Amino acid sequence: MSNPSNLRYATTHEWAKQDSDVVTVGVTAFAIEQLTEPTYLELPAVGAALKAGDKFGIIESYKSTSDLYSPVSGTVIERNEPLVDEGKRKGDPKPVNDDAFGAGWMVKIKLAPSATLDHLLTAEQYDQQLASEGH
Amino acid sequence: MSNLRTPLYQWHVDHKARMVPFGGWEMPVQYTGIGPEHKAVRSTAGLFDISHMARVSFRGTDALALLEKVFTNSVATMKDGQVRYGLVCKEDGGILDDILVYRWPYEFAAVINAGNRSKILAWLETQRTGMAVEIQDQTLDTTMIAVQGPKSVALVAGMFADDVSALKYYYAIPSRYKDKPCVVSRTGYTGEDGFEVIVPNALGVTLWEEFIAKGAVPCGLGSRDTLRLEAAMPLYGHELNETIDPIHAGLAWAVKLDKGDFIGRDAIQKATADTTRPVRVGLEIEGKRAAREGCPITDADGTNCGTVTSGSLCPWLDKSLAMGYVNPQFASVGSALDVDVRGTNLPATVVPLPFYKRKK
């Protein structure tokens, strides 16, 4: 599995993709491989304010339940709605499994003033983290 | 201490299984995914490496007496080739392990949980004092493979020297595979029909690959866990431990109080009259979120009345199901409770066990 070089990474296995002041966030293919296929996803409401490192959601698999952490500070402006359960509508987080870096994106966050992605790992650094963890 | 590896370890790694430590072994948790592997077992046939399960033989004039002493179910009434489930308990009725006992004309055997292998061997060593019985741990010499699912019977056709498809449920037969001795039993831990096969290590990969060539889907411990949960089979360390007695675990059927004395009998007898202790129940949880081990269970007033011991979204029924222990006044079917999942209260209902039962 390769981690795209145009993304930045949190040590907690979320990825962040910047397009001017909007950052798209998801979790890495490595994280999904560890969790096994996702069965349930909980995401923050549009408008939620997050600081880098804040818990922003929950991802569940048949095997485990894990927290998701925001890689950046800002405000949620969009969610990947089809992935999420809401009222009677049952979401399907399958795209997270099939395309973690693409269709499986989770939220778009408008960066807070002066917030950056500088604290996040580059793909190369993230690869090194995985290697040092023995993966 | 490093984990043990089964003779199929390299095969698992070569086929992209994700390996995890389990019960002192390095085992595959999944190959392609827990969901598809689970569904393969329910609809066709799945294959499990269960070589980590401990296999022990008992020989000698006191073999029967020792097993009757440490096992809650009856051994004397077993027929040759029969397999029986039961518990090994302490004097106070606490469960040390749940095991299968096999009766052969020439000896007895037991299959013990991987994580309890050394504990049970030590327990047997203590209990056998003064008895003429030879206990042999054969775990590392043999490979054990389970083929489970509605297609299992068709799959085993012609593979062994004997027609194993004629085996009755919970019976076993010593047979031959590729002209080497093997044991085939009609047993399993998935809620499906199927077989468990023990072969010499040298034939482990051969047998595994023959099953796959015939269409069985390799499955990891992840789906083994969701399958047994759906079938409401207890798992040691979750539904069973040394502080839980067989009666409150819902396993009275595996205890024969009238068979004569055995370790834990008096305590278990007392437990049958104890209506205060929590009992094992099945819970169906609203929505798709899973309850996990340790989640508190509360009544309508928000008062704690139990704890979840296993829970997952179950792939075949596509429901969030859990087992747990609740105070007896909340244990009846239909009882409306809440499960606290990380601070969120999810409505749950007590439902009959098993959640899933295969069509005969």
Side-chain angles (χ1 to χ4, degrees):
Chain A
M1 130 191 50
S2 70
N3 295 299
S5 58
N6 61 327
L7 307 181
R8 299 296 286 265
Y9 300 86
T11 55
T12 46
H13 308 291
E14 293 82 8
W15 56 261
K17 180 177 175 232
Q18 185 170 15
D19 298 294
S20 72
D21 66 344
V22 173
V23 177
T24 306
V25 173
V27 298
T28 66
F30 170 80
I32 295 308
E33 189 186 295
Q34 296 299 304
L35 291 169
T36 71
E37 68 265 39
T39 54
Y40 174 87
L41 190 63
E42 192 170 287
L43 296 175
V46 169
L50 296 169
K51 283 203 184 66
D54 278 358
K55 194 184 128 176
F56 80 84
I58 291 169
I59 186 163
E60 294 194 356
S61 67
Y62 290 118
K63 212 168 113 296
S64 63
T65 301
S66 307
D67 291 324
L68 299 166
Y69 299 96
S70 179
V72 296
S73 300
T75 307
V76 177
I77 56 166
E78 195 181 340
R79 316 194 300 172
N80 195 347
E81 293 295 342
L83 308 185
V84 194
D85 279 17
E86 190 121 289
K88 294 276 175 213
R89 184 176 60 76
K90 297 296 170 213
D92 186 356
K94 196 169 183 296
V96 178
N97 188 59
D98 299 343
D99 188 10
F101 294 114
W105 69 274
M106 294 175 179
V107 290
K108 291 185 180 176
I109 297 174
K110 186 176 162 57
L111 278 177
S114 78
T116 70
L117 280 67
D118 294 348
H119 60 287
L120 296 172
L121 305 176
T122 63
E124 196 183 337
Q125 289 168 326
Y126 182 62
D127 286 343
Q128 282 166 9
Q129 177 188 322
L130 298 188
S132 72
E133 288 171 0
H135 302 293
Chain B
M1 195 181 75
S2 69
N3 286 310
L4 295 165
R5 293 173 172 182
T6 80
L8 291 161
Y9 172 84
Q10 198 55 48
W11 194 97
H12 301 320
V13 172
D14 291 345
H15 292 79
K16 306 265 183 279
R18 198 157 82 65
M19 305 300 289
V20 294
F22 179 83
W25 294 77
E26 213 164 327
M27 298 299 293
V29 69
Q30 66 155 39
Y31 302 85
T32 58
I34 293 171
E37 291 168 22
H38 182 120
K39 289 170 190 166
V41 171
R42 291 272 181 260
S43 55
T44 57
L47 202 56
F48 299 85
D49 178 5
I50 53 169
S51 305
H52 62 305
M53 303 288 289
R55 297 171 288 287
V56 177
S57 70
F58 302 79
R59 249 176 234 207
T61 48
D62 291 334
L64 173 61
L66 175 63
L67 283 166
E68 286 288 26
K69 180 183 175 185
V70 300
F71 191 54
T72 59
N73 213 331
S74 167
V75 185
T77 57
M78 289 171 72
K79 298 189 175 75
D80 284 340
Q82 199 171 355
V83 183
R84 204 163 260 183
Y85 175 88
L87 296 316
V88 177
C89 289
K90 298 184 296 175
E91 286 292 353
D92 69 2
I95 300 168
L96 288 166
D97 200 12
D98 61 335
I99 70 171
L100 292 183
V101 168
Y102 290 59
R103 179 168 198 158
W104 301 118
Y106 42 89
E107 66 177 20
F108 294 88
V111 174
I112 296 163
N113 279 303
N116 290 333
R117 181 161 70 117
S118 45
K119 179 176 82 172
I120 294 299
L121 286 171
W123 179 255
L124 292 169
E125 208 47 52
T126 316
Q127 302 306 330
R128 60 171 284 174
T129 309
M131 289 181 152
V133 52
E134 187 195 342
I135 301 171
Q136 220 178 39
D137 178 2
Q138 300 168 333
T139 313
L140 302 183
D141 305 325
T142 53
T143 301
M144 191 168 185
I145 292 170
V147 58
Q148 301 277 298
K151 295 265 159 71
S152 311
V153 177
L155 236 118
V156 296
M159 284 180 71
F160 302 94
D162 300 86
D163 174 20
V164 300
S165 68
L167 275 174
K168 286 192 282 187
Y169 195 53
Y170 267 69
Y171 273 81
I173 185 173
S175 188
R176 295 186 83 77
Y177 176 68
K178 307 274 181 213
D179 214 29
K180 292 283 187 294
C182 70
V183 168
V184 184
S185 60
R186 194 139 191 184
T187 48
Y189 192 52
T190 59
E192 294 302 326
D193 191 10
F195 301 87
E196 293 175 316
V197 186
I198 301 169
V199 291
N201 279 342
L203 284 171
V205 173
T206 310
L207 176 64
W208 180 266
E209 290 190 326
E210 184 171 353
F211 275 131
I212 288 176
K214 291 187 162 190
V217 175
C219 298
L221 292 184
S223 58
R224 189 166 159 85
D225 191 39
T226 51
L227 285 157
R228 71 92 199 167
L229 172 62
E230 231 171 41
M233 291 166 159
L235 173 60
Y236 197 86
H238 294 258
E239 285 70 40
L240 312 179
N241 64 46
E242 292 183 23
T243 69
I244 291 170
D245 67 77
I247 304 303
H248 293 86
L251 300 173
W253 60 270
V255 179
K256 297 290 178 285
L257 289 168
D258 56 2
K259 75 167 188 170
D261 200 21
F262 61 91
I263 299 173
R265 181 174 176 271
D266 292 349
I268 297 169
Q269 177 98 60
K270 283 199 189 86
T272 57
D274 184 342
T275 55
T276 61
R277 301 191 65 183
V279 293
R280 177 164 67 103
V281 296
L283 294 167
E284 186 175 325
I285 293 148
E286 219 175 277
K288 287 206 163 184
R289 284 205 70 182
R292 305 294 184 189
E293 183 183 13
C295 285
I297 303 169
T298 53
D299 67 12
D301 304 328
T303 308
N304 189 297
C305 67
T307 310
V308 169
T309 49
S310 298
S312 178
L313 183 70
C314 284
W316 184 255
L317 298 175
D318 199 29
K319 285 177 179 169
S320 174
L321 303 173
M323 289 193 282
Y325 282 82
V326 299
N327 294 336
Q329 65 269 36
F330 302 104
S332 45
V333 168
S335 184
L337 302 169
D338 282 316
V339 179
D340 177 351
V341 179
R342 295 181 167 219
T344 305
N345 275 333
L346 304 178
T349 308
V350 175
V351 295
L353 293 179
F355 304 109
Y356 169 85
K357 197 167 185 184
R358 75 186 149 98
K359 293 184 185 77
K360 302 262 172 172

